[in-house]
Every structure is written in structure tokens, then in C-alpha cells.
Amino acid sequence: MGRHSCCYKQKLRKGLWSPEEDEKLLDYITKHGHGCWSSVPKLAGLQRCGKSCRLRWINYLRPDLKRGAFSQEEENMIIELHAVLGNRWSQIAAQLPGRTDNEIKNLWNSCLKKKLRQRSIDPNTHKPLSEVEKDKDMLPSTDKTNQKASLGSNEVSLVDHPAKALPSSERYPLEVSTSSTQELFLDRFGATCHDNSCRPSDVVGPYFSFHHFNYGTTNMGLSANPNASLSFIPPSTSSDVNNSTISSSMLHSIFPTHVKLQSNDNPSISSDAVQNWESNNTNKSNASMQFQSSTNFLENTWGVAESAKVNINKDAQVPLQTEQEDLKWSEYLNTPFILGNTPENQIQTSQSIYSEVKPETGFITDESCTSWHHPPPAFQLSDVYSKNLQRFSVTFGQTL
DNA sequence: AACGGAGTCAACCGCCGCACC
DNA sequence: GGGTGCGGCGGTTGACTCCGT
């Protein structure tokens, strides 16, 4: 526990790396590979600890690193991924080839947070600041403590949360938000479900948190309940729905493996009565695979070559300061959100949730349930909403 | 030119989970 | 089961640069 043993050793250099040190490390790893990092400094003739060498290699010397400023597309992608993953920089970095988690973290803290705030978007919740303030005021005083922690920073995700006590293998990629986000979500959820199909018990989950996407007037969310089910919350208004497309990149991160899908349009449908689509990827070892491999998962099992675009609410009523800002924000909201850099990857689904489902998708609905027959070529929620479903939930397989 | 605040970024710190003994 | 070593991660720090006054 605590510091790495090598850090206790004396006479180890700290601070910035000299060009000579870089050269030594680069030479050594190029010739021998890093192997055991703790032995690298000694073998490479460096007065550094192994961790320091590892960090230097990963963040600076690695040959596949992309240099230079982040492109607009990369920034957009980071924002979208952050909305789903929170401060999971390594997973975000896995979706941005050549970029390091450190780099992305720095960009977020120094630049993107500010940009979002300038656009009246709360960088922690990705909701409009006005709404965050409103929800903050609506919370009972007893919740203020949690609210303070979570609204202040996503970094405190799951603090005091029962999920924290679970082993990582039992936690899911979606646990990115905070208890206050949960509160906010519940508030939103209650406001948008006007029939009996939505029960708070469906979404109040002590083990999992969820994220609520809210761009302008678009309200959609993802939740998880104690039964290990995740729920996709549709946009709250029909106009939202018409303008919303869920990014499959979000789904990449949420459903890395062994996913079951179910519809909850009818509250009488019990989980065991719902037909499930289930990935044939039952290899438990994949349950913890990183973002990059989850992409492969979709490629391999769902036929999704790469991801779709996010096109959330073109009419987002985000307060804008100038026309130029308006334009930029509009561009952001409408920028195709594409995973991967290669042109051949930039072609996939970008269909409206309400759009027609092509027969060949294999996404089948009936009166009581919605299921995918493996392997659908693309992730489509359209049919779910065309049947006016209030909720669309995704249940993880128990082998996760 | 000098100063100070803001922004950027590389590196460190502390913790966690896993593997091994 | 407990201790230890190690890799990995996210948060934080501090040096440096930029820019306005």
C-alpha cells in the first residue's frame, strides 16, 4: 500500500526529464521493450523510479503519440465521452488514438470545462447551469451535503455510494455520475413520465449511478437500478426525440460485453418475461475490457464497424453570449461524432431515434417486448420510440 | 521593463486492484 | 488469508509561459 517501493530509494532524480534521460529510456525500450518497469531504470542507466519511466514513456516518448493541438472533433468527442464516462480519462483516451489520459485530463481541466461553462453547460453534469442551479435549490436540505460534493465535481463520483464497496468487476462503466445527478435525474424523470409506466423504484439504484444527458432542452438519461439494469431515458419532449440520436460510442462504453436489452414500455412486464437479446460474447474476461476493445466488441458482435454521431437537439435553447458563440455551439451540437480516425470508419449510424427501422437490422419489436436478434448491423433505438415507449432499458448479463 | 494573474502541461502523489508468494 | 510488488489510474502540484496592466 502507498508509495511504490522504488520511490523510497535514495538518489532518484525527480522533476523534468533531460534529453539525455529521454534518449536513454527511448533507446532501452526500443531495443528491449519495457518489460518490468521497476527494472527499467537500472537497466537503462537512469536514476529514476520505474513509475517515472513508465509515465515518461506513456506520456511523451511513445512513438504512436499524436502531437499538437486537439482538433475540434477530438474536443467534441472528449466532451461526449466525458458525459458518459465522467473522469475516466484512460477510457476516454482509449477512444482517441495517440492521445494520453494525462493530456486529455489537462485539456479538460484547463480548457473544455471553461468552454462548457461559457456555454452555460455545467461540465460536471453536462446540464444547463440554470437547471443545475434550479435542481440544487429544489433538493431538500438533508441532501445538500451530497449535492455539494457531487455538483462541485465529478471527481467525487460514488463517494459514500454503496457501489464503491463493490469490486470493480461488479461495477459498470456507467457509474460516472454522482448522487446529486441521481437526484437531478429523478427529478427529471418524475417530470417526464406522466403515466404509470415509470416507477421510481425502477430507477433508484443503490449500486449504480447513471448519467443524465441534457443539452439545451434535450433531456435524456441512462440509469441503473439495483437489479443491474440500465435504463435509457428518452428525450422528454417529442421535439427532443425528433432531434436526438444516441451515440453508439456511449453504448460502447456502457455495454462493453454481454448485454441484454429489454423494453419497459409496459410496467407489467417483469424482467424475466422480457425477451433478451444477448451477445454471444460470454467470455467473462472481456467484461473489463477497455473502451478500445469494446469497439471491437460492437464490431464483432453487432456489426457496428464504428460509431455513430450525436446530434442532440439542434434547437437547444442554450443561452449564448454572441452570435459567434451561437454558431460555434450549434456546430458543436451538430458535429458528427465519429469514433476512430480513419475515413472508412466514419460512416456509420446516425439515425433519428424516431426513424424507421430497416428490416435488416434484426431489431424486432412486438407488443410486449423489444429485442435484438444477433447480430444486428447497427444499434437502433428507433422502433422503441416509434411505439411510444417510455423507457428502454438494458440489462447486463450476470456474468459481468 | 516589471509585475502579477491566468493558463498550460509535465510530473508526482496516493490509492487501488491484481498477481504472486 | 495476509504481505508484498507492481501496474495503472485519477487528482494535484508546481514550473513555465503568456498576456494584460
Side-chain angles (χ1 to χ4, degrees):
Chain A
M1 195 77 131
R3 278 179 97 169
H4 193 282
S5 59
C6 69
C7 298
Y8 290 112
K9 294 176 184 173
Q10 300 298 311
K11 296 181 182 176
L12 292 181
R13 270 179 59 86
K14 290 171 70 176
L16 295 177
W17 281 62
S18 67
E20 292 76 23
E21 287 178 307
D22 281 344
E23 195 180 340
K24 281 183 181 177
L25 184 60
L26 186 60
D27 281 350
Y28 176 80
I29 294 180
T30 303
K31 289 173 185 167
H32 307 98
H34 62 74
C36 175
W37 279 113
S38 59
S39 63
V40 164
K42 187 181 175 185
L43 295 171
L46 291 163
Q47 300 285 313
R48 297 271 182 175
C49 74
K51 281 187 120 174
S52 183
C53 292
R54 176 183 161 271
L55 207 65
R56 185 63 178 171
W57 172 257
I58 289 172
N59 289 336
Y60 190 79
L61 296 175
R62 230 172 49 185
D64 59 330
L65 284 180
K66 190 189 285 184
R67 302 285 179 192
F70 281 77
S71 68
Q72 189 60 52
E73 277 196 3
E74 284 176 315
E75 289 188 4
N76 293 343
M77 194 165 171
I78 291 166
I79 291 168
E80 293 298 334
L81 289 168
H82 186 273
V84 178
L85 294 164
N87 294 356
R88 296 185 167 181
W89 307 117
S90 61
Q91 291 185 35
I92 293 172
Q95 285 301 306
L96 290 150
R99 301 297 188 181
T100 69
D101 53 356
N102 209 31
E103 215 176 356
I104 292 168
K105 183 169 56 182
N106 283 334
L107 178 75
W108 179 263
N109 288 326
S110 68
C111 181
L112 296 183
K113 273 169 108 171
K114 195 174 67 181
K115 281 187 180 179
L116 286 179
R117 284 202 188 97
Q118 284 172 350
R119 288 158 174 74
S120 299
I121 300 289
D122 179 57
N124 300 310
T125 62
H126 293 257
K127 297 177 70 174
L129 283 172
S130 57
E131 190 163 335
V132 171
E133 287 300 316
K134 194 180 79 180
D135 290 334
K136 198 169 145 186
D137 294 339
M138 289 175 67
L139 280 176
S141 57
T142 51
D143 292 328
K144 294 286 184 182
T145 307
N146 285 340
Q147 179 200 358
K148 184 183 173 186
S150 53
L151 280 179
S153 163
N154 228 8
E155 292 86 60
V156 293
S157 169
L158 292 179
V159 168
D160 298 325
H161 200 289
K164 221 21 183 177
L166 293 172
S168 61
S169 61
E170 295 175 28
R171 285 185 267 141
Y172 301 110
L174 195 56
E175 56 189 39
V176 298
S177 62
T178 63
S179 55
S180 80
T181 309
Q182 185 174 4
E183 296 289 339
L184 296 170
F185 166 79
L186 289 172
D187 174 61
R188 167 69 52 193
F189 187 81
T192 55
C193 295
H194 302 298
D195 60 19
N196 293 328
S197 65
C198 305
R199 296 163 299 171
S201 59
D202 289 340
V203 292
V204 178
Y207 299 119
F208 309 103
S209 59
F210 46 79
H211 198 89
H212 179 230
F213 305 99
N214 191 311
Y215 288 90
T217 58
T218 296
N219 303 301
M220 47 198 292
L222 288 156
S223 74
N225 69 20
N227 299 320
S229 78
L230 283 167
S231 299
F232 171 71
I233 309 305
S236 58
T237 68
S238 60
S239 62
D240 290 339
V241 171
N242 284 329
N243 288 313
S244 300
T245 305
I246 189 168
S247 162
S248 67
S249 68
M250 296 174 183
L251 299 165
H252 283 209
S253 63
I254 296 162
F255 317 132
T257 185
H258 204 77
V259 181
K260 294 178 181 177
L261 300 165
Q262 70 182 56
S263 87
N264 281 357
D265 53 326
N266 184 339
S268 66
I269 303 170
S270 66
S271 60
D272 55 0
V274 177
Q275 292 181 2
N276 294 313
W277 173 84
E278 185 171 339
S279 154
N280 65 351
N281 185 351
T282 55
N283 184 351
K284 192 174 180 179
S285 66
N286 286 342
S288 62
M289 62 182 155
Q290 299 295 302
F291 228 73
Q292 196 68 50
S293 51
S294 69
T295 299
N296 294 334
F297 162 73
L298 283 185
E299 281 182 17
N300 296 337
T301 62
W302 290 4
V304 178
E306 270 301 342
S307 190
K309 74 175 184 180
V310 163
N311 186 1
I312 301 174
N313 193 6
K314 294 166 184 164
D315 300 316
Q317 295 168 359
V318 179
L320 297 167
Q321 292 165 358
T322 66
E323 281 188 21
Q324 191 169 359
E325 289 238 331
D326 194 343
L327 177 62
K328 286 178 185 172
W329 184 231
S330 172
E331 286 171 358
Y332 161 59
L333 288 171
N334 293 294
T335 299
F337 176 51
I338 311 243
L339 293 178
N341 287 338
T342 57
E344 59 268 27
N345 288 340
Q346 302 179 356
I347 47 171
Q348 283 295 322
T349 57
S350 62
Q351 297 173 346
S352 162
I353 287 169
Y354 264 134
S355 68
E356 288 293 319
V357 176
K358 295 173 185 172
E360 63 270 28
T361 60
F363 188 49
I364 299 168
T365 64
D366 60 35
E367 289 299 314
S368 62
C369 66
T370 304
S371 65
W372 259 307
H373 287 228
H374 176 73
F379 193 98
Q380 302 206 29
L381 300 174
S382 312
D383 208 25
V384 181
Y385 290 106
S386 70
K387 288 186 171 293
N388 196 25
L389 299 182
Q390 283 293 329
R391 298 183 59 220
F392 182 91
S393 73
V394 181
T395 305
F396 284 108
Q398 294 304 308
T399 59
L400 260 181

